[in-house]
Short mmCIF file of all heavy atoms in Angstrom, two decimals:
data_model
loop_
_atom_site.label_atom_id
_atom_site.label_comp_id
_atom_site.label_asym_id
_atom_site.label_seq_id
_atom_site.Cartn_x
_atom_site.Cartn_y
_atom_site.Cartn_z
N VAL A 801 58.07 -42.17 5.85
CA VAL A 801 58.57 -41.94 7.20
C VAL A 801 60.09 -42.02 7.22
O VAL A 801 60.72 -42.55 6.29
CB VAL A 801 57.99 -42.97 8.21
CG1 VAL A 801 56.48 -42.84 8.30
CG2 VAL A 801 58.39 -44.39 7.82
N THR A 802 60.67 -41.48 8.29
CA THR A 802 62.10 -41.62 8.56
C THR A 802 62.23 -42.45 9.82
O THR A 802 62.14 -41.93 10.93
CB THR A 802 62.76 -40.25 8.75
OG1 THR A 802 62.53 -39.43 7.60
CG2 THR A 802 64.27 -40.40 8.97
N PRO A 803 62.44 -43.74 9.68
CA PRO A 803 62.45 -44.62 10.86
C PRO A 803 63.69 -44.44 11.72
O PRO A 803 64.73 -43.98 11.25
CB PRO A 803 62.40 -46.03 10.26
CG PRO A 803 63.03 -45.87 8.92
CD PRO A 803 62.65 -44.50 8.44
N SER A 804 63.56 -44.81 12.97
CA SER A 804 64.72 -44.82 13.86
C SER A 804 65.69 -45.91 13.40
O SER A 804 65.32 -46.82 12.67
CB SER A 804 64.28 -45.09 15.29
OG SER A 804 63.78 -46.43 15.42
N ALA A 805 66.92 -45.81 13.87
CA ALA A 805 67.91 -46.82 13.51
C ALA A 805 67.48 -48.20 13.99
O ALA A 805 67.64 -49.20 13.27
CB ALA A 805 69.27 -46.45 14.12
N LYS A 806 66.90 -48.28 15.17
CA LYS A 806 66.46 -49.57 15.72
C LYS A 806 65.37 -50.19 14.87
O LYS A 806 65.43 -51.38 14.50
CB LYS A 806 65.98 -49.39 17.15
CG LYS A 806 65.51 -50.67 17.80
CD LYS A 806 65.04 -50.42 19.23
CE LYS A 806 64.52 -51.70 19.88
NZ LYS A 806 64.06 -51.45 21.28
N ASP A 807 64.35 -49.39 14.52
CA ASP A 807 63.24 -49.92 13.71
C ASP A 807 63.71 -50.28 12.31
O ASP A 807 63.29 -51.29 11.74
CB ASP A 807 62.11 -48.89 13.64
CG ASP A 807 61.39 -48.73 14.98
OD1 ASP A 807 61.56 -49.59 15.86
OD2 ASP A 807 60.67 -47.72 15.14
N TRP A 808 64.59 -49.46 11.75
CA TRP A 808 65.09 -49.73 10.40
C TRP A 808 65.91 -51.01 10.38
O TRP A 808 65.75 -51.86 9.50
CB TRP A 808 65.92 -48.56 9.89
CG TRP A 808 66.56 -48.84 8.57
CD1 TRP A 808 67.89 -49.01 8.32
CD2 TRP A 808 65.90 -49.02 7.32
NE1 TRP A 808 68.10 -49.28 6.99
CE2 TRP A 808 66.90 -49.29 6.35
CE3 TRP A 808 64.56 -48.97 6.92
CZ2 TRP A 808 66.59 -49.51 5.01
CZ3 TRP A 808 64.25 -49.19 5.58
CH2 TRP A 808 65.26 -49.47 4.64
N ASP A 809 66.80 -51.17 11.33
CA ASP A 809 67.64 -52.37 11.37
C ASP A 809 66.79 -53.63 11.53
O ASP A 809 67.12 -54.68 10.96
CB ASP A 809 68.65 -52.27 12.51
CG ASP A 809 69.77 -51.29 12.21
OD1 ASP A 809 69.90 -50.86 11.05
OD2 ASP A 809 70.52 -50.96 13.15
N ALA A 810 65.71 -53.55 12.30
CA ALA A 810 64.83 -54.70 12.47
C ALA A 810 64.17 -55.07 11.14
O ALA A 810 64.04 -56.25 10.81
CB ALA A 810 63.78 -54.40 13.54
N PHE A 811 63.77 -54.06 10.37
CA PHE A 811 63.16 -54.32 9.06
C PHE A 811 64.18 -54.94 8.10
O PHE A 811 63.89 -55.93 7.42
CB PHE A 811 62.62 -53.02 8.47
CG PHE A 811 62.21 -53.13 7.02
CD1 PHE A 811 61.09 -53.87 6.65
CD2 PHE A 811 62.96 -52.52 6.02
CE1 PHE A 811 60.72 -53.99 5.31
CE2 PHE A 811 62.60 -52.62 4.70
CZ PHE A 811 61.47 -53.37 4.34
N VAL A 812 65.38 -54.39 8.05
CA VAL A 812 66.42 -54.91 7.16
C VAL A 812 66.75 -56.36 7.52
O VAL A 812 66.88 -57.22 6.64
CB VAL A 812 67.69 -54.04 7.22
CG1 VAL A 812 68.82 -54.66 6.40
CG2 VAL A 812 67.39 -52.63 6.71
N ALA A 813 66.87 -56.65 8.81
CA ALA A 813 67.22 -57.99 9.25
C ALA A 813 66.14 -59.01 8.90
O ALA A 813 66.42 -60.19 8.69
CB ALA A 813 67.47 -57.99 10.75
N SER A 814 64.89 -58.56 8.82
CA SER A 814 63.78 -59.47 8.52
C SER A 814 63.52 -59.64 7.04
O SER A 814 62.77 -60.54 6.64
CB SER A 814 62.49 -58.96 9.19
OG SER A 814 62.05 -57.75 8.59
N HIS A 815 64.13 -58.81 6.21
CA HIS A 815 63.84 -58.81 4.78
C HIS A 815 64.68 -59.88 4.07
O HIS A 815 65.87 -60.02 4.36
CB HIS A 815 64.13 -57.44 4.17
CG HIS A 815 63.51 -57.24 2.83
ND1 HIS A 815 64.07 -57.74 1.67
CD2 HIS A 815 62.37 -56.60 2.46
CE1 HIS A 815 63.31 -57.40 0.65
NE2 HIS A 815 62.27 -56.71 1.09
N PRO A 816 64.11 -60.61 3.11
CA PRO A 816 64.89 -61.65 2.40
C PRO A 816 66.12 -61.12 1.68
O PRO A 816 67.09 -61.85 1.51
CB PRO A 816 63.87 -62.24 1.41
CG PRO A 816 62.53 -61.92 1.99
CD PRO A 816 62.69 -60.61 2.70
N ARG A 817 66.08 -59.85 1.25
CA ARG A 817 67.22 -59.25 0.57
C ARG A 817 67.99 -58.30 1.48
O ARG A 817 68.81 -57.51 1.02
CB ARG A 817 66.77 -58.50 -0.69
CG ARG A 817 66.21 -59.38 -1.80
CD ARG A 817 65.99 -58.59 -3.08
NE ARG A 817 67.24 -58.13 -3.64
CZ ARG A 817 67.57 -56.85 -3.84
NH1 ARG A 817 66.75 -55.89 -3.46
NH2 ARG A 817 68.73 -56.53 -4.36
N GLY A 818 67.74 -58.40 2.78
CA GLY A 818 68.42 -57.52 3.71
C GLY A 818 69.94 -57.66 3.61
O GLY A 818 70.47 -58.76 3.51
N HIS A 819 70.63 -56.54 3.65
CA HIS A 819 72.08 -56.53 3.43
C HIS A 819 72.74 -55.72 4.53
O HIS A 819 72.19 -54.72 5.01
CB HIS A 819 72.39 -55.92 2.06
CG HIS A 819 73.76 -56.23 1.54
ND1 HIS A 819 74.90 -55.66 2.06
CD2 HIS A 819 74.18 -57.07 0.55
CE1 HIS A 819 75.96 -56.11 1.40
NE2 HIS A 819 75.55 -56.97 0.49
N ILE A 820 73.95 -56.12 4.92
CA ILE A 820 74.65 -55.40 5.98
C ILE A 820 74.96 -53.95 5.60
O ILE A 820 75.13 -53.11 6.47
CB ILE A 820 75.95 -56.12 6.36
CG1 ILE A 820 76.84 -56.34 5.14
CG2 ILE A 820 75.66 -57.41 7.09
CD1 ILE A 820 78.29 -56.37 5.45
N LEU A 821 75.03 -53.65 4.30
CA LEU A 821 75.29 -52.27 3.88
C LEU A 821 74.05 -51.40 3.99
O LEU A 821 74.12 -50.18 3.78
CB LEU A 821 75.83 -52.24 2.45
CG LEU A 821 77.14 -52.97 2.19
CD1 LEU A 821 77.67 -52.65 0.80
CD2 LEU A 821 78.19 -52.62 3.24
N GLN A 822 72.92 -52.00 4.33
CA GLN A 822 71.71 -51.23 4.59
C GLN A 822 71.47 -51.04 6.09
O GLN A 822 70.58 -50.30 6.48
CB GLN A 822 70.50 -51.89 3.94
CG GLN A 822 70.31 -51.53 2.48
CD GLN A 822 69.97 -50.05 2.29
OE1 GLN A 822 69.02 -49.54 2.87
NE2 GLN A 822 70.75 -49.36 1.47
N LEU A 823 72.23 -51.70 6.92
CA LEU A 823 72.10 -51.48 8.36
C LEU A 823 72.60 -50.09 8.74
O LEU A 823 73.47 -49.52 8.07
CB LEU A 823 72.88 -52.54 9.13
CG LEU A 823 72.36 -53.98 9.06
CD1 LEU A 823 73.30 -54.92 9.81
CD2 LEU A 823 70.94 -54.10 9.61
N SER A 824 72.09 -49.57 9.85
CA SER A 824 72.52 -48.25 10.30
C SER A 824 74.01 -48.24 10.63
O SER A 824 74.66 -47.18 10.58
CB SER A 824 71.71 -47.82 11.52
OG SER A 824 71.88 -48.73 12.59
N ALA A 825 74.58 -49.41 10.93
CA ALA A 825 76.02 -49.48 11.22
C ALA A 825 76.85 -49.03 10.03
O ALA A 825 77.93 -48.44 10.20
CB ALA A 825 76.41 -50.90 11.63
N PHE A 826 76.37 -49.29 8.81
CA PHE A 826 77.13 -48.88 7.63
C PHE A 826 77.17 -47.36 7.53
O PHE A 826 78.21 -46.78 7.17
CB PHE A 826 76.52 -49.48 6.37
CG PHE A 826 77.32 -49.21 5.12
CD1 PHE A 826 78.62 -49.66 5.01
CD2 PHE A 826 76.76 -48.52 4.05
CE1 PHE A 826 79.37 -49.40 3.86
CE2 PHE A 826 77.49 -48.27 2.91
CZ PHE A 826 78.80 -48.71 2.81
N ALA A 827 76.08 -46.70 7.86
CA ALA A 827 76.08 -45.24 7.89
C ALA A 827 77.06 -44.74 8.93
O ALA A 827 77.79 -43.76 8.70
CB ALA A 827 74.67 -44.72 8.19
#
Side-chain angles (χ1 to χ4, degrees):
V801 297
T802 304
S804 67
K806 180 180 179 180
D807 290 345
W808 174 249
D809 287 347
F811 169 70
V812 174
S814 68
H815 197 280
R817 293 189 66 240
H819 198 287
I820 55 151
L821 299 190
Q822 276 294 305
L823 292 177
S824 61
F826 185 60

